[in-house]
Amino acid sequence: DREFGSPEVIRPCYYLLQILGMWKPNDGKFGFTWRVYRLFVYIFWLGCLAAIMCLDFVHYGFDKSKIHVREIINSVGTCLVFLCPFMFTLYYFKRGHYVELVFNVQNVSHVWKEKLNRISRWYTFMSVILWILCAAFFMVHWFPFFSKWWHYGIYVPAVVYISGWWSTWLSIYGFVCHVHSLQIDTVVEEMKSRECKPATILQKHFQLQSSLERTQRDFFLIISFALAYHALDLIIFSFAYFSSAFGKNYPIWQYIGTVLFDLISIIFKLYPPAIVAAASHRLVIQASKRCQYQLTPFTTELPFEDMQLFQYMALRESDMGLKILGIRITVELAMKILMTIGTAAISFVAFVIPKLNK
């Protein structure tokens, strides 16, 4: 994001991203040093993906007779999971409209700027927690594959680095959706004043739609792919585990850990769009209240302009949100999906695990 004023825009994970390799001098100096640094970041990132891809080869000492195709395919899927965060973050900050979106909210007033700052700090804190949990899980998950000291020297830095990208991109995605929610709330607050005319509100509503459509174009493909992969990975990995594809001695805690990783990823992709949908519904509710406030026992005329505004917003509510896999994510839909996943998890613990222990 090289737009005018971009250094002052609020960003979650600002220092985390610089640690991961998104540092750039603001004054334009050190151009050669920055290019060498950026090249090193790309090489290191590709090296981490290559290390993950070669995990099974390292484990079996590059003995082709012991390497299984299914394990290589599983490594490819893992690489795709960690490919998305890096590519998405670079693409969005370069091609997306992050600076414009955040400035639209933080420049409304000091109160809204402070709200953004608090939310940004919470998302940064969440990234740190997710970074620690993800790195710890994959270290424990892959440590049984290591037998030599240099295995740890290669894979521990790789795990820490790629886990950082995974945790920060989830926060950026969630923060952008939260900014859209606050952007809608600014219009809701203005609608409470009778001095704000329906025509002015309608113009702001058009701006909200345009902003959401741009974010939809930025997010749709990458989020849909990531969510589809995690859902597919849950199914394939479960079939592989229960058919003993990883061997009869594969520990169940490894399976449960992988499932939890996929579930957390799914939850963090459904929650932000649901926030946007909830804010869009508050917009319609406020439009309805504008009509109600003008009706008294002594009213003889209906507020036609406000009623038309309410009717328009109610009809357009289904378009005021973000879609994943072509489906608009709402609070109700997200809760249904989470309840289904929770029921499946409880059923697994109650019925499947006891049978496996017999």
Side-chain angles (χ1 to χ4, degrees):
D1 48 337
R2 302 173 183 175
E3 299 175 29
F4 176 76
S6 61
E8 290 78 30
V9 74
I10 296 172
R11 294 180 178 87
C13 312
Y14 178 74
Y15 293 106
L16 298 183
L17 287 170
Q18 293 201 43
I19 292 172
L20 291 170
M22 289 197 71
W23 167 81
K24 185 178 181 181
N26 294 328
D27 54 8
K29 297 180 180 180
F30 309 106
F32 175 76
T33 304
W34 176 79
R35 285 192 291 270
V36 173
Y37 168 77
R38 180 52 62 92
L39 180 63
F40 169 78
V41 169
Y42 282 122
I43 293 174
F44 185 69
W45 175 71
L46 290 173
C48 291
L49 290 184
I52 295 172
M53 192 66 201
C54 297
L55 179 63
D56 295 297
F57 293 91
V58 172
H59 175 55
Y60 293 111
F62 295 94
D63 186 351
K64 295 182 180 180
S65 62
K66 296 181 180 180
I67 297 172
H68 304 94
V69 175
R70 58 178 175 268
E71 293 175 348
I72 296 176
I73 295 174
N74 187 54
S75 297
V76 172
T78 305
C79 287
L80 290 175
V81 168
F82 291 114
L83 173 70
C84 289
F86 184 81
M87 299 303 295
F88 168 79
T89 305
L90 293 184
Y91 165 80
Y92 184 66
F93 280 133
K94 187 175 182 180
R95 303 291 183 186
H97 71 301
Y98 178 86
V99 173
E100 177 187 344
L101 172 64
V102 177
F103 268 142
N104 281 340
V105 177
Q106 81 175 59
N107 288 342
V108 171
S109 67
H110 180 72
V111 174
W112 289 101
K113 185 176 181 179
E114 285 302 309
K115 284 184 179 181
L116 277 181
N117 271 319
R118 286 196 299 270
I119 294 171
S120 175
R121 287 193 289 269
W122 273 110
Y123 274 106
T124 301
F125 176 73
M126 183 192 72
S127 282
V128 174
I129 299 300
L130 289 177
W131 191 346
I132 295 172
L133 291 176
C134 183
F137 165 70
F138 276 101
M139 285 182 188
V140 175
H141 188 57
W142 287 340
F143 273 178
F145 290 84
F146 307 150
S147 57
K148 299 179 180 180
W149 65 268
W150 61 269
H151 293 171
Y152 296 93
I154 292 176
Y155 282 95
V156 169
V159 166
V160 172
Y161 187 68
I162 60 177
S163 299
W165 280 107
W166 175 80
S167 63
T168 51
W169 93 295
L170 286 179
S171 288
I172 293 168
Y173 164 62
F175 180 73
V176 169
C177 292
H178 223 124
V179 173
H180 274 297
S181 173
L182 292 181
Q183 188 184 28
I184 294 172
D185 284 338
T186 60
V187 179
V188 172
E189 290 298 319
E190 290 184 21
M191 290 174 64
K192 294 179 180 179
S193 171
R194 292 301 308 163
E195 296 179 0
C196 191
K197 302 301 180 182
T200 304
I201 296 172
L202 196 58
Q203 289 176 353
K204 292 182 178 295
H205 192 273
F206 290 152
Q207 294 173 0
L208 291 177
Q209 282 185 298
S210 177
S211 181
L212 280 169
E213 287 172 359
R214 290 183 63 183
T215 299
Q216 176 69 36
R217 289 195 297 270
D218 292 334
F219 283 176
F220 175 73
L221 185 61
I222 193 84
I223 298 297
S224 295
F225 170 79
L227 185 65
Y229 169 79
H230 285 297
L232 187 64
D233 186 55
L234 275 174
I235 298 171
I236 294 176
F237 194 79
S238 297
F239 276 112
Y241 174 79
F242 289 111
S243 62
S244 301
F246 304 112
K248 295 182 179 180
N249 296 324
Y250 192 79
I252 191 171
W253 64 265
Q254 292 270 37
Y255 167 75
I256 294 175
T258 304
V259 170
L260 287 176
F261 172 76
D262 284 322
L263 290 180
I264 291 174
S265 298
I266 290 173
I267 290 171
F268 275 94
K269 289 175 179 64
L270 293 177
Y271 168 69
I275 293 177
V276 179
S280 301
H281 189 65
R282 289 196 295 271
L283 196 65
V284 177
I285 295 299
Q286 187 59 40
S288 173
K289 289 180 178 179
R290 280 178 65 94
C291 299
Q292 295 175 11
Y293 292 155
Q294 297 181 61
L295 297 177
T296 67
F298 307 101
T299 301
T300 58
E301 296 182 358
L302 295 176
F304 286 108
E305 285 190 351
D306 285 313
M307 290 179 65
Q308 289 176 337
L309 179 66
F310 165 67
Q311 185 180 23
Y312 172 79
M313 288 188 172
L315 290 173
R316 299 296 295 175
E317 183 186 2
S318 60
D319 297 324
M320 292 287 291
L322 299 175
K323 296 180 180 179
I324 298 178
L325 296 173
I327 302 172
R328 179 175 178 266
I329 304 301
T330 62
V331 176
E332 182 181 4
L333 179 59
M335 290 303 299
K336 287 181 179 178
I337 294 174
L338 295 180
M339 286 296 294
T340 302
I341 293 174
T343 303
I346 294 172
S347 301
F348 173 80
V349 173
F351 299 106
V352 179
I353 292 182
K355 292 182 181 179
L356 293 175
N357 293 330
K358 290 182 180 180

